């Protein structure tokens, strides 16, 4: 069973809960984004998905084993837009800065040198009704299983998933910590999770009857480790 090892409130009203399971840390952040920007983040991320959407993947992927590349059953998702964020964009820079704080805290727990972290990507996902431009969407939804959707991102050090909106906590994320143990993360809206993306993981997507009325929307921000700076020996 996961062990609760910390629960406290930070100055910006962001509550942090830390759990350890099978040697892995899972950091849950509540009240992750300020209320005054949450709706704007949802609105803008939805626009980005509609404007620059990744192509849907065919139905056959639902029978795949663990993928070592990426999510084999994504909902509607945007292409990465980390590099397009301008310095004066208060909304998205707030998202980025809070994600960095979450990553630094995770590094302290997991004994990772945070000075070697480099943000790698940021993208938005949306599962709300069925996209009209994806003729396989309904079949893929009916065939979906989180166990068949497990995937790893071993080139990354940390992933932060921001749950902007979701119907119920049960539609969070499933993470496989070893061959026989599963960590089920059940978040609330406007919360986030920091964890090791090298572990097999999958979203728990709501069924068809739920997404007709309620949405599951997330932002994912990933970071990788860069090599240590090699300095010349002064002696």
């Amino acid at each position: 069973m996961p062990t609760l090892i910390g629960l406290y409130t930070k100055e910006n009203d962001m509550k942090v809960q830390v759990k350890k399971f099978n040697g892995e840390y899972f950091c849950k952040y509540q009240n992750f984004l300020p209320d005054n920007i949450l709706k704007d983040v949802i609105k803008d991320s939805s626009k980005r998905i509609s404007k620059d959407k990744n192509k849907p993947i065919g139905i056959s992927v639902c029978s795949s084993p663990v993928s070592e590349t990426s999510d084999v059953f994504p909902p509607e998702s945007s292409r990465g837009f980390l590099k397009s964020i301008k310095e004066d964009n208060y909304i998205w820079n707030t998202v980025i800065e809070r994600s960095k704080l979450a990553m630094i805290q995770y590094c302290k727990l997991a004994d990772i040198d945070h000075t070697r972290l480099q943000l790698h990507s940021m993208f938005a996902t949306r599962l709300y009704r069925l996209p009209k431009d994806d003729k396989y969407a309904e079949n893929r939804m009916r065939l979906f299983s989180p166990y068949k959707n497990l995937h790893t991102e071993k080139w990354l050090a940390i992933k932060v998933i921001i749950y902007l909106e979701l119907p119920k906590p049960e539609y969070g994320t499933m993470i496989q910590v070893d061959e026989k143990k599963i960590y089920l993360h059940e978040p609330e809206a406007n919360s986030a999770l920091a964890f090791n993306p090298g572990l097999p993981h999958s979203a728990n997507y709501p069924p068809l009857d739920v997404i007709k009325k309620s949405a599951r929307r997330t932002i994912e921000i990933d970071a990788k480790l860069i090599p240590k700076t090699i300095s010349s020996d002064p002696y």
Side-chain angles (χ1 to χ4, degrees):
M1 293 289 292
T3 302
L4 179 66
I5 63 173
L7 179 64
Y8 57 93
T9 302
K10 299 185 74 172
E11 292 181 1
N12 55 15
D13 296 327
M14 187 168 65
K15 296 180 181 179
V16 186
Q17 182 185 73
V18 180
K19 290 185 179 181
K20 188 176 184 181
F21 187 31
N22 209 52
E24 296 286 346
Y25 291 95
F26 302 91
C27 298
K28 177 182 180 180
Y29 303 85
Q30 295 173 297
N31 303 323
F32 191 73
L33 297 176
D35 291 337
N36 64 324
I37 72 165
L38 182 59
K39 289 183 178 179
D40 291 328
V41 172
I42 291 173
K43 184 178 179 179
D44 193 62
S45 62
S46 189
K47 285 182 179 179
R48 290 175 183 273
I49 292 171
S50 299
K51 183 179 179 181
D52 192 16
K53 188 190 301 184
N54 275 326
K55 288 185 177 181
I57 297 176
I59 189 173
S60 62
V61 297
C62 290
S63 61
S64 300
V66 175
S67 167
E68 293 187 356
T69 54
S70 61
D71 195 342
V72 296
F73 181 82
E76 293 183 286
S77 63
S78 72
R79 297 184 187 276
F81 56 90
L82 178 65
K83 294 181 179 179
S84 69
I85 302 302
K86 297 180 180 179
E87 291 183 3
D88 61 350
N89 190 321
Y90 170 76
I91 293 173
W92 284 108
N93 280 305
T94 300
V95 173
I96 292 171
E97 289 306 312
R98 292 213 169 192
S99 298
K100 285 181 178 178
L101 288 174
M103 289 178 176
I104 290 173
Q105 184 175 41
Y106 177 88
C107 284
K108 291 178 180 178
L109 292 166
D111 196 24
I112 297 173
D113 182 0
H114 74 272
T115 64
R116 295 175 54 203
L117 277 187
Q118 182 180 78
L119 292 183
H120 177 267
S121 59
M122 176 169 67
F123 61 93
T125 77
R126 175 180 65 199
L127 189 59
Y128 182 49
R129 299 174 181 170
L130 290 176
K132 296 179 180 179
D133 58 347
D134 181 359
K135 63 181 180 180
Y136 296 114
E138 183 171 350
N139 285 338
R140 295 201 292 115
M141 282 295 299
R142 294 189 185 282
L143 290 173
F144 171 75
S145 162
Y147 291 95
K148 293 180 180 180
N149 187 49
L150 288 170
H151 59 283
T152 64
E153 295 155 292
K154 294 182 179 179
W155 63 93
L156 299 172
I158 306 173
K159 178 182 286 290
V160 172
I161 302 176
I162 306 169
Y163 304 90
L164 300 174
E165 185 179 0
L166 72 169
K168 294 180 180 179
E170 65 194 75
Y171 303 124
T173 303
M174 183 181 82
I175 304 166
Q176 186 176 22
V177 294
D178 67 17
E179 292 182 357
K180 297 181 180 180
K181 295 179 181 178
I182 295 290
Y183 176 76
L184 294 175
H185 179 68
E186 298 186 337
E188 298 80 27
N190 193 22
S191 68
L193 169 68
F195 71 103
N196 172 13
L199 297 171
H201 56 279
S202 169
N204 281 331
Y205 294 122
L208 277 169
D209 61 324
V210 174
I211 65 167
K212 289 178 180 178
K213 299 179 180 180
S214 303
R216 184 187 192 274
R217 305 176 193 269
T218 69
I219 302 294
E220 296 192 23
I221 303 182
D222 300 316
K224 63 181 182 179
L225 285 177
I226 59 175
K228 288 184 178 180
T229 303
I230 302 175
S231 57
S232 58
D233 188 345
Y235 303 101

